[in-house]
Amino acid sequence: MTKSLRIVHLFPELLNLYGDSGNILVLRRRLAWRGLVADVAEVHVGERPSFADADIVFIGGGSDREQRIVCESLLAEQAELSSFVEDGGVLAAVCGGYQLLGHSYLMGDEKIEGLSLVDLYTDRGEPRLIGNVVVESPICDHPIVGYENHGGRTHLGEGVEPLGSVTYGHGNDGVTGQEGCLYKNVLGTYVHGPLLPKNPGVADYLLSRALERRYGNGELEPLDDAAELTANKSMYDRLMAGEVEEQ
């Protein structure tokens, strides 16, 4: 029997800032290269998502307007989505999607109710935190590289681990040196770019967790990631050497 994973991609028409939908292409391709199947279900505006048979749920980034629309839709499904998370379901959320995971976030001066899937909250600050970012994380052997652009300052609650430590850039709040969050099999991050093409270790972390939950074995056949890791290292080396002029 060929193993397969069901990936639920939430509202791709709204949440595709900085090419976040490219993350789904990476997950699909890395499964296919291993002879595994990706069953991708896109959920669009006006449709009700179901997480009963989901293995991976992905929420991309968007502007404040798109975030509000998505949050209002997902609040109606909060109980089922929370059950998915607490049962070890894999959920990856980027930027605006990351902010939705918490108890609340600020949109202008208005506090918006979040999904309360992870013990965190987001307020706002000045200036916006914009530029390239490098994160050292325990989930993969290589540094995570990408791009961030957010006015939010995200604060993690007790027992919520950061995705990693910032070695270049700003991260969650520009102060603590933390970036992203890890809770059960939830990964939240401000890293765009999109995240996964230059960070194959992060992609495999998500796939391994999902396969472990579905089949009891998350071991992945190694792939030749020379091209991806060369791109990753090139960006890392340039940033750490101060060769990139940030705007």
Side-chain angles (χ1 to χ4, degrees), residues 210-228:
L211 287 166
E212 177 69 31
R213 176 174 179 261
R214 172 66 68 181
Y215 296 103
N217 183 358
E219 185 175 350
L220 289 169
E221 177 184 337
L223 296 175
D224 180 2
D225 289 327
E228 292 88 342

Side-chain angles (χ1 to χ4, degrees), residues 221-237:
E221 177 184 337
L223 296 175
D224 180 2
D225 289 327
E228 292 88 342
L229 293 177
T230 295
N232 177 287
K233 187 175 187 303
S234 175
M235 195 68 221
Y236 174 83
D237 289 346

Side-chain angles (χ1 to χ4, degrees), residues 116-149:
S116 294
L117 302 176
V118 180
D119 185 13
L120 60 85
Y121 71 94
T122 300
D123 53 25
R124 301 185 76 84
E126 294 293 341
R128 291 187 68 84
L129 304 179
I130 304 173
N132 291 286
V133 60
V134 177
V135 181
E136 297 288 346
S137 173
I139 72 168
C140 58
D141 294 332
H142 60 73
I144 299 171
V145 300
Y147 189 80
E148 60 181 337
N149 182 354

Side-chain angles (χ1 to χ4, degrees), residues 14-34:
L14 296 180
L15 303 179
N16 188 30
L17 201 61
Y18 297 111
D20 286 331
S21 291
N23 294 307
I24 301 299
L25 299 177
V26 171
L27 294 174
R28 186 196 295 270
R29 185 59 58 87
R30 292 185 73 80
L31 285 170
W33 284 338
R34 294 175 165 111

